[in-house]
Amino acid sequence: MEKNKILTAVHLFLTDEEENKILLARRYNTGYEDGKYSLIAGHVDEKETVREAIIRESDEEAGIALKKEDLEIRHVMHRRREKETELDRIDFFIKALNWTGTPRIMEEDKCDEMKWFKMNDLPENIIPYIKFAIKEFQMKSYYSEFGW
């Protein structure tokens, strides 16, 4: 049997604890789940750690600065590929305890809205595995499997 090849991705839980809100970005013109909300996210590049990847993605997508010491891995998801031509994924969901800057759309060619939502009132047009991960985060679950 051939060994499984897995793609690693990172997702940011940027939350407002007092308001019980989470920051979501609506995908636009990407070719994947366009028109649906997601978290600030991206793939881990070669020779890059999970924390380095979320720091880079947060700057690129939302213009905020993160520090490694302010990041906590809060959930890991083993996600089954949606199409045979894709790879299975390991998704790391990372909570920022602190950040510098005000989140804003930095990649207007890939995102057409970024806003805060109540965690118990998420938009209907959210990517299903993202909604699942947010619920797992709220339940303080540290591992899940999705799509199997």
XYZ file of all heavy atoms in Angstrom, residues 34-121:
737
model
N -15.573 29.976 -3.216
C -15.796 31.422 -3.357
C -17.200 31.790 -2.893
O -18.152 31.043 -3.091
C -15.582 31.848 -4.808
C -14.118 31.782 -5.213
O -13.249 31.950 -4.339
O -13.845 31.568 -6.407
N -17.311 32.946 -2.245
C -18.584 33.409 -1.715
C -18.876 32.881 -0.321
O -19.891 33.219 0.271
N -17.984 32.062 0.215
C -18.171 31.507 1.560
C -17.118 32.072 2.507
O -16.016 32.429 2.107
C -18.092 29.983 1.526
C -19.242 29.366 0.757
C -19.216 27.871 0.850
C -20.382 27.279 0.051
N -20.314 25.829 0.025
N -17.504 32.115 3.774
C -16.605 32.630 4.804
C -15.657 31.546 5.289
O -16.000 30.368 5.371
C -17.401 33.176 5.985
C -18.059 34.490 5.688
C -19.369 34.535 5.247
C -17.355 35.688 5.833
C -19.982 35.749 4.956
C -17.965 36.901 5.543
C -19.273 36.927 5.113
O -19.867 38.126 4.820
N -14.466 31.999 5.640
C -13.428 31.139 6.176
C -12.644 31.932 7.215
O -12.963 33.083 7.498
C -12.503 30.664 5.048
O -11.586 29.705 5.539
N -11.640 31.310 7.754
C -10.708 31.979 8.645
C -9.528 32.483 7.834
O -9.327 32.067 6.689
C -10.203 30.986 9.699
C -11.255 30.363 10.611
C -10.692 29.148 11.324
C -11.766 31.389 11.605
N -8.734 33.352 8.403
C -7.445 33.679 7.806
C -6.675 32.358 7.781
O -6.592 31.669 8.804
C -6.709 34.736 8.635
C -7.485 36.059 8.585
C -5.273 34.912 8.152
C -7.052 37.067 9.617
N -6.158 31.982 6.625
C -5.588 30.644 6.502
C -4.635 30.544 5.322
O -4.600 31.421 4.460
C -6.716 29.628 6.336
N -3.913 29.439 5.275
C -3.042 29.163 4.144
C -2.277 27.874 4.351
O -2.413 27.200 5.376
N -1.468 27.545 3.375
C -0.667 26.328 3.434
C 0.686 26.619 4.068
O 1.199 27.733 3.990
C -0.466 25.755 2.025
C -1.739 25.357 1.385
N -2.200 25.944 0.231
C -2.679 24.449 1.744
C -3.361 25.400 -0.098
N -3.671 24.499 0.806
N 1.241 25.584 4.663
C 2.587 25.674 5.228
C 3.566 25.448 4.085
O 3.488 24.440 3.375
C 2.790 24.631 6.348
C 4.213 24.693 6.889
C 1.772 24.844 7.466
N 4.452 26.401 3.892
C 5.457 26.291 2.839
C 6.588 25.366 3.267
O 6.783 25.094 4.460
C 6.038 27.672 2.501
C 5.041 28.569 1.783
O 4.049 28.057 1.231
O 5.271 29.799 1.768
N 7.358 24.917 2.291
C 8.518 24.084 2.561
C 9.478 24.824 3.495
O 9.691 26.036 3.362
C 9.223 23.735 1.246
C 10.333 22.732 1.417
C 10.956 22.318 0.094
O 10.457 22.725 -0.964
O 11.947 21.587 0.146
N 10.027 24.094 4.468
C 10.981 24.626 5.450
C 10.385 25.731 6.317
O 11.083 26.626 6.776
C 12.267 25.108 4.767
C 13.003 23.999 4.048
C 14.281 24.475 3.443
C 14.956 23.331 2.721
N 16.202 23.712 2.101
N 9.077 25.656 6.541
C 8.377 26.643 7.358
C 7.629 25.891 8.462
O 7.014 24.860 8.211
C 7.381 27.407 6.471
C 6.654 28.529 7.147
C 5.766 29.288 6.166
O 4.949 28.650 5.454
O 5.883 30.520 6.122
N 7.672 26.413 9.688
C 6.923 25.794 10.776
C 5.460 26.239 10.701
O 5.125 27.208 10.013
C 7.489 26.183 12.151
O 7.237 27.574 12.378
C 8.983 25.885 12.254
N 4.618 25.558 11.458
C 3.200 25.903 11.514
C 3.038 27.331 12.027
O 2.274 28.120 11.464
C 2.452 24.877 12.403
C 1.069 25.363 12.788
C 2.389 23.525 11.693
N 3.754 27.679 13.083
C 3.638 29.042 13.632
C 4.169 30.088 12.643
O 3.580 31.161 12.508
C 4.351 29.136 14.973
C 3.569 28.483 16.094
C 4.209 28.773 17.452
N 3.347 28.326 18.510
C 3.526 27.198 19.200
N 4.538 26.400 18.922
N 2.696 26.873 20.170
N 5.262 29.788 11.990
C 5.781 30.733 10.987
C 4.764 30.944 9.862
O 4.584 32.056 9.385
C 7.107 30.224 10.408
C 8.264 30.295 11.380
C 9.504 29.540 10.912
O 9.401 28.690 10.003
O 10.575 29.792 11.486
N 4.088 29.872 9.473
C 3.111 29.966 8.392
C 1.935 30.863 8.778
O 1.508 31.707 7.982
C 2.609 28.572 8.004
N 1.403 30.719 9.991
C 0.252 31.543 10.370
C 0.670 32.997 10.579
O -0.110 33.912 10.288
C -0.511 30.968 11.585
C -1.943 31.528 11.622
C 0.213 31.224 12.879
C -2.799 31.199 10.433
N 1.887 33.236 11.010
C 2.389 34.609 11.132
C 2.455 35.252 9.747
O 2.009 36.379 9.544
C 3.769 34.636 11.837
C 3.583 34.295 13.330
C 4.466 35.975 11.651
C 4.882 34.039 14.074
N 2.994 34.516 8.777
C 3.102 35.023 7.405
C 1.712 35.258 6.807
O 1.439 36.331 6.249
C 3.895 34.034 6.540
C 3.951 34.413 5.065
C 4.713 33.388 4.233
N 4.272 32.023 4.417
C 3.162 31.486 3.897
N 2.345 32.236 3.148
N 2.840 30.218 4.115
N 0.830 34.263 6.914
C -0.508 34.382 6.328
C -1.303 35.532 6.950
O -2.026 36.239 6.256
C -1.279 33.069 6.469
C -0.754 31.923 5.630
C -1.001 32.094 4.135
O -1.726 33.014 3.717
O -0.452 31.281 3.369
N -1.178 35.733 8.247
C -1.910 36.812 8.929
C -1.468 38.180 8.449
O -2.287 39.088 8.295
C -1.725 36.687 10.441
O -2.282 35.475 10.894
N -0.186 38.313 8.196
C 0.337 39.568 7.647
C -0.131 39.752 6.209
O -0.639 40.814 5.842
C 1.866 39.569 7.728
C 2.473 40.832 7.151
O 2.035 41.945 7.520
O 3.394 40.709 6.313
N 0.000 38.703 5.391
C -0.375 38.784 3.976
C -1.867 39.033 3.768
O -2.248 39.811 2.904
C 0.000 37.484 3.255
C 1.474 37.267 3.056
C 1.798 35.910 2.463
O 0.880 35.107 2.164
O 3.003 35.637 2.304
N -2.713 38.365 4.546
C -4.156 38.422 4.320
C -4.877 39.507 5.109
O -5.868 40.061 4.634
C -4.800 37.067 4.652
C -4.388 35.973 3.698
C -5.109 34.662 3.959
O -6.151 34.671 4.651
O -4.626 33.631 3.465
N -4.387 39.805 6.331
C -5.125 40.718 7.208
C -4.307 41.884 7.733
O -4.826 42.715 8.476
C -5.727 39.938 8.379
N -3.028 41.956 7.386
C -2.204 43.083 7.803
C -1.956 43.169 9.297
O -1.707 44.249 9.822
N -2.016 42.025 9.986
C -1.734 42.033 11.420
C -0.430 41.305 11.705
O -0.030 40.402 10.965
C -2.883 41.415 12.242
C -3.153 39.979 11.824
C -4.140 42.276 12.146
C -4.124 39.240 12.743
N 0.228 41.709 12.778
C 1.487 41.100 13.182
C 1.257 40.195 14.390
O 0.608 40.604 15.363
C 2.509 42.181 13.513
N 1.782 39.004 14.299
C 1.695 38.029 15.386
C 3.102 37.661 15.841
O 4.047 37.719 15.055
C 0.986 36.761 14.916
C -0.412 36.896 14.326
C -0.888 35.553 13.793
C -1.372 37.430 15.365
N 3.207 37.232 17.100
C 4.468 36.724 17.641
C 4.267 35.270 18.035
O 3.197 34.894 18.525
C 4.877 37.529 18.879
C 5.209 38.966 18.595
C 5.588 39.674 19.889
C 5.838 41.139 19.628
N 6.082 41.867 20.889
N 5.309 34.465 17.849
C 5.217 33.035 18.151
C 4.721 32.782 19.571
O 3.915 31.896 19.807
C 6.575 32.351 17.963
C 6.958 32.152 16.527
C 8.277 31.424 16.426
C 8.697 31.320 14.979
N 9.955 30.581 14.828
N 5.195 33.590 20.511
C 4.832 33.354 21.910
C 3.369 33.692 22.212
O 2.845 33.328 23.265
C 5.762 34.119 22.864
C 5.759 35.616 22.706
C 6.803 36.163 21.734
O 7.337 35.401 20.896
O 7.080 37.369 21.826
N 2.694 34.376 21.305
C 1.278 34.719 21.482
C 0.337 33.770 20.737
O -0.841 34.075 20.573
C 1.019 36.157 21.006
C 1.665 37.177 21.918
O 1.779 36.918 23.136
O 2.048 38.249 21.419
N 0.859 32.641 20.283
C 0.060 31.697 19.499
C -0.110 30.385 20.248
O 0.848 29.850 20.805
C 0.741 31.428 18.153
C 0.954 32.648 17.263
C 1.758 32.262 16.036
C -0.363 33.276 16.882
N -1.339 29.882 20.254
C -1.626 28.585 20.866
C -2.352 27.706 19.858
O -3.367 28.129 19.288
C -2.532 28.748 22.091
C -1.854 29.381 23.268
C -2.756 29.428 24.494
O -3.961 29.075 24.387
O -2.258 29.831 25.546
N -1.836 26.511 19.651
C -2.534 25.557 18.794
C -3.703 25.030 19.612
O -3.529 24.449 20.671
C -1.600 24.434 18.326
C -0.497 25.035 17.456
C -2.390 23.352 17.566
C 0.594 24.100 17.050
N -4.920 25.274 19.112
C -6.129 24.931 19.866
C -6.898 23.764 19.267
O -7.735 23.185 19.934
C -7.052 26.152 19.955
C -6.535 27.240 20.844
C -6.592 26.802 22.315
N -6.211 27.870 23.196
C -7.054 28.738 23.723
N -8.328 28.678 23.448
N -6.605 29.684 24.531
N -6.622 23.454 18.000
C -7.336 22.329 17.393
C -6.541 21.813 16.201
O -5.916 22.601 15.479
C -8.739 22.767 16.940
C -9.605 21.623 16.550
N -10.188 20.789 17.471
C -9.958 21.143 15.335
C -10.873 19.856 16.831
N -10.746 20.052 15.537
N -6.572 20.511 16.024
C -5.957 19.870 14.858
C -7.029 18.998 14.224
O -7.723 18.247 14.907
C -4.729 19.023 15.251
C -4.156 18.306 14.033
C -3.664 19.882 15.926
N -7.165 19.138 12.907
C -8.178 18.379 12.168
C -7.505 17.555 11.071
O -6.700 18.078 10.303
C -9.182 19.344 11.527
C -10.278 18.666 10.718
S -11.342 19.867 9.862
C -12.214 20.590 11.248
N -7.850 16.272 11.020
C -7.429 15.419 9.909
C -8.607 15.409 8.937
O -9.680 14.893 9.255
C -7.111 14.014 10.411
C -6.532 13.141 9.361
N -6.378 11.792 9.526
C -6.049 13.404 8.122
C -5.836 11.252 8.448
N -5.638 12.220 7.582
N -8.391 16.012 7.792
C -9.500 16.233 6.851
C -9.316 15.410 5.588
O -8.267 15.445 4.946
C -9.599 17.736 6.526
C -10.767 18.095 5.671
C -11.088 19.587 5.743
N -9.951 20.468 5.626
C -9.646 21.156 4.525
N -10.400 21.060 3.445
N -8.605 21.958 4.508
N -10.343 14.691 5.222
C -10.350 13.866 4.005
C -10.480 14.759 2.774
O -11.248 15.725 2.767
C -11.534 12.892 4.067
C -11.663 11.992 2.870
C -10.719 10.831 2.988
N -10.950 9.913 1.879
C -9.972 9.296 1.260
N -8.720 9.470 1.628
N -10.230 8.482 0.262
N -9.756 14.425 1.748
C -9.831 15.179 0.492
C -11.237 15.146 -0.070
O -11.970 14.170 0.118
C -8.834 14.635 -0.513
C -9.125 13.222 -0.956
C -8.085 12.728 -1.943
N -8.131 11.285 -2.032
C -7.173 10.488 -1.606
N -6.094 10.991 -1.062
N -7.283 9.191 -1.715
N -11.601 16.201 -0.765
C -12.932 16.293 -1.360
C -12.973 15.644 -2.735
O -14.004 15.154 -3.163
C -13.355 17.763 -1.438
C -13.506 18.389 -0.062
C -13.768 19.873 -0.118
O -14.080 20.408 -1.200
O -13.646 20.512 0.936
N -11.841 15.660 -3.451
C -11.758 15.071 -4.788
C -10.566 14.130 -4.828
O -9.571 14.328 -4.131
C -11.558 16.175 -5.835
C -12.671 17.194 -5.885
C -12.325 18.315 -6.854
C -13.351 19.428 -6.785
N -12.919 20.612 -7.496
N -10.639 13.142 -5.688
C -9.544 12.175 -5.810
C -8.228 12.822 -6.244
O -7.162 12.296 -5.970
C -9.931 11.052 -6.776
C -10.883 10.044 -6.178
C -10.356 9.379 -4.911
O -9.198 8.927 -4.881
O -11.123 9.326 -3.931
N -8.311 13.952 -6.905
C -7.105 14.623 -7.392
C -6.427 15.458 -6.299
O -5.334 15.965 -6.506
C -7.443 15.548 -8.579
O -8.461 16.469 -8.167
C -7.915 14.744 -9.766
N -7.064 15.604 -5.140
C -6.511 16.393 -4.045
C -5.792 15.498 -3.033
O -5.855 14.276 -3.119
C -7.630 17.160 -3.326
C -8.341 18.156 -4.205
C -9.524 18.813 -3.508
O -10.057 18.265 -2.527
O -9.924 19.876 -3.977
N -5.164 16.126 -2.061
C -4.521 15.412 -0.964
C -5.358 15.551 0.301
O -6.078 16.530 0.478
C -3.130 16.002 -0.692
C -2.097 15.918 -1.808
C -0.829 16.662 -1.408
C -1.771 14.467 -2.132
N -5.246 14.563 1.188
C -5.815 14.720 2.516
C -5.045 15.847 3.206
O -3.953 16.218 2.775
C -5.662 13.430 3.322
C -6.539 12.294 2.787
O -7.489 12.566 2.030
O -6.256 11.135 3.134
N -5.611 16.363 4.295
C -5.000 17.520 4.952
C -4.927 17.333 6.458
O -5.768 16.686 7.058
C -5.804 18.782 4.665
C -5.796 19.164 3.205
C -6.805 20.242 2.903
N -6.887 20.454 1.483
C -6.264 21.435 0.830
N -5.537 22.295 1.481
N -6.389 21.553 -0.471
N -3.935 17.970 7.008
C -3.855 18.195 8.452
C -3.969 19.703 8.615
O -3.163 20.471 8.075
C -2.537 17.698 9.060
C -2.414 16.176 8.941
C -2.428 18.142 10.525
C -3.391 15.375 9.767
N -5.017 20.127 9.313
C -5.277 21.549 9.531
C -4.979 21.897 10.980
O -5.512 21.264 11.903
C -6.751 21.868 9.239
C -7.118 21.668 7.780
O -6.455 22.259 6.924
O -8.085 20.929 7.508
N -4.137 22.894 11.174
C -3.831 23.413 12.501
C -4.625 24.700 12.693
O -4.520 25.628 11.883
C -2.336 23.708 12.639
C -1.480 22.478 12.723
C -1.003 21.871 11.570
C -1.152 21.923 13.949
C -0.211 20.741 11.637
C -0.358 20.791 14.032
C 0.109 20.189 12.867
N -5.417 24.745 13.752
C -6.202 25.929 14.090
C -5.531 26.587 15.284
O -5.416 25.981 16.355
C -7.650 25.538 14.388
C -8.357 25.004 13.170
C -8.275 23.667 12.825
C -9.095 25.858 12.358
C -8.910 23.176 11.700
C -9.736 25.377 11.220
C -9.641 24.037 10.896
N -5.085 27.817 15.065
C -4.224 28.494 16.026
C -4.908 29.749 16.539
O -5.382 30.571 15.754
C -2.884 28.843 15.349
C -2.240 27.557 14.824
C -1.970 29.585 16.307
C -1.150 27.777 13.824
N -4.939 29.885 17.859
C -5.533 31.066 18.483
C -4.448 32.096 18.743
O -3.401 31.789 19.297
C -6.219 30.700 19.790
C -6.826 31.911 20.484
C -7.670 31.503 21.654
C -8.176 32.654 22.472
N -8.588 33.818 21.781
N -4.726 33.332 18.334
C -3.832 34.451 18.642
C -4.272 35.045 19.971
O -5.408 35.490 20.115
C -3.896 35.501 17.543
N -3.383 35.034 20.944
C -3.689 35.629 22.242
C -3.569 37.146 22.174
O -4.276 37.860 22.871
C -2.755 35.063 23.313
C -2.787 33.536 23.462
C -1.755 33.086 24.479
C -4.170 33.056 23.834
N -2.655 37.623 21.338
C -2.438 39.053 21.105
C -2.019 39.244 19.662
O -1.488 38.326 19.033
C -1.320 39.592 22.020
C -1.709 39.596 23.470
O -2.643 40.273 23.870
N -0.995 38.814 24.263
N -2.227 40.441 19.151
C -1.761 40.792 17.817
C -1.596 42.295 17.752
O -2.112 43.030 18.584
C -2.705 40.282 16.729
C -4.086 40.880 16.752
C -4.508 42.019 16.122
C -5.233 40.380 17.437
N -5.833 42.252 16.362
C -6.303 41.259 17.183
C -5.460 39.271 18.265
C -7.575 41.073 17.705
C -6.723 39.089 18.772
C -7.762 39.974 18.499
N -0.865 42.736 16.743
C -0.658 44.161 16.511
C -1.288 44.527 15.181
O -1.116 43.809 14.192
C 0.852 44.499 16.480
O 1.440 44.051 17.700
C 1.078 45.988 16.338
N -2.021 45.645 15.171
C -2.669 46.108 13.951
C -4.154 45.821 13.965
O -4.658 45.090 14.818
N -4.838 46.430 13.021
C -6.277 46.224 12.858
C -6.501 45.351 11.634
O -6.031 45.698 10.541
C -6.991 47.584 12.667
O -6.723 48.404 13.801
C -8.487 47.390 12.512
N -7.188 44.222 11.798
C -7.418 43.345 10.639
C -8.147 44.082 9.514
O -9.119 44.800 9.748
C -8.296 42.226 11.205
C -8.097 42.274 12.678
C -7.802 43.698 13.010
N -7.635 43.894 8.309
C -8.231 44.505 7.118
C -7.894 43.636 5.909
O -6.942 42.865 5.937
C -7.731 45.924 6.925
C -6.239 46.018 6.662
C -5.700 47.437 6.829
N -4.299 47.554 6.513
C -3.293 47.141 7.281
N -3.545 46.535 8.431
N -2.046 47.306 6.906
N -8.657 43.794 4.860
C -8.424 43.014 3.641
C -7.149 43.495 2.967
O -7.033 44.652 2.587
C -9.612 43.137 2.672
C -10.884 42.580 3.316
C -9.313 42.417 1.350
C -12.150 42.863 2.529
N -6.194 42.586 2.826
C -4.927 42.909 2.167
C -4.862 42.328 0.757
O -4.097 42.797 -0.068
C -3.748 42.374 3.001
C -3.656 42.966 4.391
S -3.324 44.743 4.395
C -1.648 44.759 3.775
N -5.643 41.280 0.513
C -5.645 40.620 -0.795
C -7.032 40.779 -1.415
O -7.850 39.859 -1.385
C -5.272 39.140 -0.651
C -3.873 38.931 -0.115
C -3.521 37.460 0.090
O -4.388 36.672 0.518
O -2.372 37.103 -0.191
N -7.276 41.942 -1.955
C -8.604 42.244 -2.511
C -8.968 41.349 -3.693
O -10.143 41.226 -4.024
C -8.675 43.720 -2.914
C -8.619 44.646 -1.721
C -8.679 46.108 -2.094
O -8.767 46.433 -3.297
O -8.636 46.940 -1.171
N -7.986 40.715 -4.303
C -8.253 39.793 -5.406
C -8.688 38.411 -4.913
O -9.085 37.563 -5.707
C -7.024 39.673 -6.307
C -5.789 39.187 -5.566
O -5.617 39.525 -4.370
O -4.983 38.467 -6.174
N -8.634 38.172 -3.572
C -8.996 36.864 -3.015
C -10.046 36.945 -1.905
O -10.544 35.924 -1.458
C -7.754 36.179 -2.440
C -6.688 35.854 -3.465
C -5.506 35.208 -2.785
C -4.380 34.950 -3.773
N -3.199 34.404 -3.097
N -10.330 38.154 -1.444
C -11.251 38.341 -0.327
C -12.062 39.609 -0.560
O -11.490 40.654 -0.865
C -10.453 38.450 0.975
S -11.421 38.853 2.429
N -13.389 39.509 -0.419
C -14.204 40.707 -0.647
C -14.913 41.214 0.606
O -15.603 42.215 0.563
C -15.201 40.495 -1.794
C -16.265 39.456 -1.495
O -16.216 38.815 -0.421
O -17.149 39.286 -2.342
N -14.735 40.508 1.737
C -15.288 41.006 2.998
C -14.579 40.325 4.160
O -14.251 39.142 4.103
C -16.790 40.734 3.091
C -17.416 41.332 4.343
C -18.920 41.167 4.371
O -19.381 40.029 4.606
O -19.609 42.176 4.157
N -14.342 41.099 5.211
C -13.746 40.582 6.434
C -14.506 41.231 7.582
O -14.582 42.454 7.655
C -12.258 40.955 6.472
C -11.474 40.355 7.617
S -9.708 40.798 7.522
C -9.147 39.791 6.143
N -15.097 40.394 8.437
C -15.841 40.973 9.550
C -15.952 40.006 10.709
O -15.692 38.812 10.568
C -17.214 41.470 9.103
C -18.189 40.430 8.636
C -19.432 41.069 8.035
C -20.637 40.839 8.891
N -21.889 41.309 8.329
N -16.354 40.563 11.850
C -16.515 39.800 13.086
C -17.927 39.230 13.156
O -18.895 39.916 12.849
C -16.274 40.708 14.291
C -14.878 41.230 14.366
C -14.418 42.403 13.837
C -13.761 40.615 14.994
N -13.083 42.546 14.098
C -12.650 41.459 14.818
C -13.586 39.421 15.691
C -11.387 41.159 15.307
C -12.328 39.121 16.188
C -11.249 39.980 15.999
N -18.028 37.967 13.570
C -19.311 37.296 13.753
C -19.373 36.702 15.150
O -18.369 36.201 15.668
C -19.475 36.144 12.745
C -19.693 36.589 11.330
C -18.619 36.766 10.476
C -20.978 36.810 10.860
C -18.812 37.167 9.163
C -21.184 37.210 9.543
C -20.092 37.393 8.700
N -20.563 36.714 15.722
C -20.793 36.002 16.983
C -20.567 34.516 16.715
O -21.046 33.979 15.713
C -22.226 36.209 17.480
C -22.530 37.622 17.916
C -22.283 37.754 19.377
C -22.803 39.105 19.861
N -22.380 39.365 21.220
N -19.850 33.859 17.618
C -19.554 32.438 17.407
C -20.805 31.565 17.462
O -20.823 30.482 16.889
C -18.502 31.949 18.389
C -17.109 32.334 17.948
S -15.846 31.422 18.814
C -15.247 32.719 19.880
N -21.854 32.031 18.119
C -23.083 31.254 18.155
C -24.085 31.714 17.093
O -25.231 31.298 17.086
C -23.713 31.302 19.549
C -24.034 32.711 19.987
O -23.750 33.684 19.285
N -24.621 32.836 21.166
N -23.630 32.578 16.181
C -24.479 33.061 15.087
C -23.622 33.250 13.821
O -23.481 34.355 13.307
C -25.157 34.374 15.495
C -26.236 34.800 14.502
O -26.747 33.932 13.762
O -26.542 36.003 14.454
